[in-house]
């Protein structure tokens, strides 16, 4: 590319968001704001309940607390920016804010992939090797597992963000997205991005493909073990302990596969519609999934429901 067209990223970026669809902005502002409040409330209550109720002092709920905290951090790194873009005519973001937002979203996304695989391992040990569960999933084991997931996610984010932000950028620094999504940012680069592509492929193998494979194999063994349980009631109870996690996994990875696996349109008009669809799917992934996690665990987990009822009853008695 012509280096004379190169612009300084220090000037910041312009986020297109839904600029081409102004009628949708007010509707989506109200919708996303409501969802964000539900995310904060739902995940906050889930964290509080699993801390206060001693019966939930187990590895599974420790991982669930991490997942809820992660969802709050992930959405907080992007939703305020998205809401602001719906109200501001010229949707600009500074270079430093773009770096921070990209770093947080990458770190939280990668960490969630690892956490979901650790939760699958927890369910595998609990159902397939229940006698060894207290030893294998002791506090000395599951706390380092969680720390390792956060460390891996943050390390990956440092690599991806630093590689992206060292690139020179061209034109008006216009990002065709709600946030500093890395694929949209890389489209502005004036230099060769092959290193970025390779690093992202490697990261996707480590943080997407391997966890999916691990979760799949874990549930093959889990389902095989459940089917060998003689009584129907025993099978139902065993499956109920992992149904919430399995539902969250399907929603999380299903959205990712749908977002990146669908074919691209070659028709210009179709491309415009697809561009809008891609943004809205990305929005779904970033907002709806974290909102559903506490709802799924509350509705499909009797221990959490009982803990929430106890917490509300205690609050009622103190008033």
């Amino acid at each position: 590319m012509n280096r004379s067209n190169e612009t300084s990223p220090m000037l910041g970026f312009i986020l297109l968001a839904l600029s081409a669809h102004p009628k949708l902005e007010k509707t989506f502002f109200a919708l996303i704001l409501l969802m964000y409040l539900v995310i904060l409330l739902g995940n906050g209550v889930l964290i509080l309940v699993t801390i206060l109720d001693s019966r939930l002092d187990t590895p599974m709920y420790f991982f669930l607390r991490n997942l809820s905290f992660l969802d709050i951090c992930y959405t907080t790194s992007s939703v305020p920016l998205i809401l602001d873009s719906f109200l501001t005519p010229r949707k600009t973001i500074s270079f430093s804010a773009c770096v921070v937002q990209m770093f947080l979203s990458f770190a939280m996304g990668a960490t969630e992939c690892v956490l979901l695989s650790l939760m699958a391992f927890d369910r595998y040990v609990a159902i397939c090797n229940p006698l060894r569960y207290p030893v294998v999933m002791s506090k000395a084991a599951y706390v380092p597992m969680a720390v390792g997931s956060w460390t891996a996610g943050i390390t990956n984010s440092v690599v991806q963000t630093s590689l992206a932000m060292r690139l020179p950028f061209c034109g008006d620094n216009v990002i065709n997205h709600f946030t500093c999504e890395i694929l949209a940012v890389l489209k502005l680069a004036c230099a060769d991005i092959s290193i970025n592509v390779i690093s992202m492929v490697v990261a996707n193998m480590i943080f997407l493909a391997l966890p999916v494979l691990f979760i799949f194999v874990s549930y093959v063994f889990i389902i095989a073990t459940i089917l060998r349980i003689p009584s129907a009631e025993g099978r139902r109870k065993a499956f109920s302990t992992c149904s919430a996690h399995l539902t969250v996994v399907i929603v999380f990875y299903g959205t990712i596969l749908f977002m990146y696996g669908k074919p691209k349109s070659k028709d210009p008009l179709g491309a415009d519609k697809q561009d809008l669809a891609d943004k809205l799917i990305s929005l779904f992934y970033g907002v709806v999934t974290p909102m559903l996690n506490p709802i799924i665990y509350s509705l499909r987990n009797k221990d959490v429901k009982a803990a929430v009822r106890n917490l509300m009853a205690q609050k009622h008695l103190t008033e």
Side-chain angles (χ1 to χ4, degrees):
M1 281 192 177
N2 188 352
R3 302 286 291 186
S4 62
N5 291 331
E6 187 177 314
T7 58
S8 172
M10 301 305 292
L11 299 175
F13 298 95
I14 299 172
L15 301 170
L16 285 186
L18 291 176
S19 299
H21 307 275
K23 293 182 179 179
L24 294 177
E25 290 187 323
K26 291 183 179 179
T27 301
F28 274 96
F29 175 83
L31 186 61
I32 299 303
L33 178 60
L34 178 61
M35 289 180 176
Y36 182 52
L37 294 176
V38 172
I39 289 169
L40 295 179
L41 178 63
N43 285 287
V45 168
L46 202 53
I47 292 171
L48 186 64
V49 165
T50 55
I51 290 175
L52 296 179
D53 196 313
S54 59
R55 293 172 299 177
L56 302 183
D57 187 20
T58 64
M60 182 174 72
Y61 294 110
F62 175 77
F63 289 136
L64 182 57
R65 281 200 298 273
N66 277 263
L67 183 64
S68 294
F69 178 70
L70 184 150
D71 283 339
I72 291 174
C73 293
Y74 180 78
T75 51
T76 301
S77 73
S78 59
V79 170
L81 181 64
I82 294 171
L83 293 175
D84 181 66
S85 74
F86 290 148
L87 300 178
T88 309
R90 185 170 178 81
K91 312 165 198 310
T92 58
I93 181 172
S94 68
F95 176 74
S96 58
C98 187
V99 172
V100 171
Q101 192 273 318
M102 184 184 294
F103 169 80
L104 289 175
S105 61
F106 248 114
M108 299 304 107
T111 302
E112 182 157 359
C113 291
V114 180
L115 267 177
L116 289 174
S117 64
L118 292 178
M119 294 171 79
F121 177 72
D122 172 78
R123 293 299 83 205
Y124 161 77
V125 178
I127 293 174
C128 300
N129 296 283
L131 296 179
R132 297 193 61 203
Y133 184 79
V135 177
V136 176
M137 295 304 295
S138 65
K139 193 169 186 178
Y142 68 76
V143 171
M145 286 181 184
V147 172
S149 68
W150 283 93
T151 303
I154 291 171
T155 302
N156 174 62
S157 186
V158 168
V159 173
Q160 302 300 336
T161 305
S162 59
L163 285 175
M165 289 307 170
R166 69 175 179 79
L167 295 169
F169 297 97
C170 300
D172 298 325
N173 289 352
V174 176
I175 299 175
N176 188 19
H177 212 274
F178 294 106
T179 62
C180 289
E181 200 268 341
I182 191 166
L183 295 179
V185 172
L186 290 179
K187 290 179 181 179
L188 306 179
C190 297
D192 179 28
I193 61 170
S194 57
I195 294 178
N196 302 77
V197 173
I198 292 171
S199 67
M200 289 182 65
V201 169
V202 172
N204 287 340
M205 290 296 295
I206 295 172
F207 291 98
L208 284 177
L210 287 181
V212 167
L213 179 62
F214 185 83
I215 292 169
F216 176 77
V217 172
S218 297
Y219 272 100
V220 167
F221 284 105
I222 288 171
I223 292 171
T225 301
I226 290 175
L227 292 177
R228 288 198 296 268
I229 297 175
S231 68
E233 181 65 16
R235 290 193 297 270
R236 187 191 66 79
K237 286 183 177 180
F239 185 74
S240 68
T241 64
C242 58
S243 60
H245 173 258
L246 185 58
T247 304
V248 168
V249 166
I250 292 171
V251 171
F252 180 77
Y253 285 107
T255 307
I256 293 177
L257 292 174
F258 181 76
M259 188 162 54
Y260 292 109
K262 64 186 190 306
K264 302 294 182 183
S265 174
K266 295 182 180 180
D267 176 44
L269 294 176
D272 289 339
K273 292 180 181 178
Q274 182 177 310
D275 181 59
L276 175 62
D278 288 344
K279 290 180 183 179
L280 296 180
I281 293 169
S282 176
L283 200 60
F284 174 87
Y285 169 72
V287 180
V288 178
T289 304
M291 182 186 72
L292 289 178
N293 286 352
I295 296 174
I296 292 170
Y297 271 99
S298 298
L299 293 178
R300 301 186 67 87
N301 190 298
K302 63 179 182 180
D303 293 332
V304 173
K305 286 192 285 187
V308 171
R309 284 196 297 267
N310 289 339
L311 184 64
M312 293 179 66
Q314 290 175 8
K315 183 180 177 181
H316 181 71
L317 290 174
T318 57
E319 290 179 351

